[in-house]
Amino acid sequence: MPGDPHLELRGRLIRSLGSLREMLPGSFVERKRACGRTNCHCADGKNLHAQYQISVLVDGKPKAFNIPAQLVEQVRHKIEMRRRFDAAAATVCGINLKRFLKEKETQ
Ligand SMILES: [Zn+2]
């Protein structure tokens, strides 16, 4: 007898969550800025420096933290993990709600 595809999906999603344990909150932001040195290429106001930040609520207040260049890809990936975690949780909750409503009918 084939298993319930929803339960298989739910199990697969739950098992995948462990790989998301390094997830980070907030959003990834790229800012352009001038460094202020008059002899720098950014002084023309066009060839600005890229500054990457993690924008996040801390105790309900919006904060932005600079990301060191060598950590940019890693942090971007970890923020993306949070999106996948939320998507997995939403799918699991949707499956469980359907199951609850179905179970309720048979009570
Ligand atoms: Zn500059």
Side-chain angles (χ1 to χ4, degrees):
M1 182 181 137
D4 181 334
H6 284 129
L7 289 188
E8 283 171 16
L9 173 61
R10 188 179 71 175
R12 209 161 50 240
L13 287 169
I14 292 293
R15 286 190 297 277
S16 75
L17 295 183
S19 68
L20 304 177
R21 64 189 173 279
E22 297 290 342
M23 65 185 169
L24 281 168
S27 51
F28 184 90
V29 177
E30 178 179 355
R31 289 193 194 291
K32 300 286 190 182
R33 64 176 189 89
C35 67
R37 283 180 292 154
T38 52
N39 61 345
C40 182
H41 63 76
C42 70
D44 65 2
K46 288 176 194 154
N47 295 302
L48 298 172
H49 301 273
Q51 172 64 62
Y52 299 95
Q53 296 179 324
I54 178 170
S55 170
V56 64
L57 290 178
V58 178
D59 299 327
K61 292 185 186 131
K63 303 269 185 187
F65 302 104
N66 290 336
I67 306 170
Q70 71 274 18
L71 295 180
V72 164
E73 280 318 307
Q74 195 184 109
V75 169
R76 191 203 296 267
H77 179 64
K78 288 179 176 181
I79 291 171
E80 169 63 15
M81 284 179 180
R82 169 62 181 276
R83 200 196 57 73
R84 285 160 54 201
F85 183 91
D86 288 348
T91 301
V92 168
C93 284
I95 290 169
N96 289 342
L97 179 62
K98 279 199 193 94
R99 289 171 61 78
F100 161 69
L101 294 174
K102 205 170 166 186
E103 190 187 354
K104 201 161 70 80
E105 278 173 18
T106 65
Q107 298 295 303

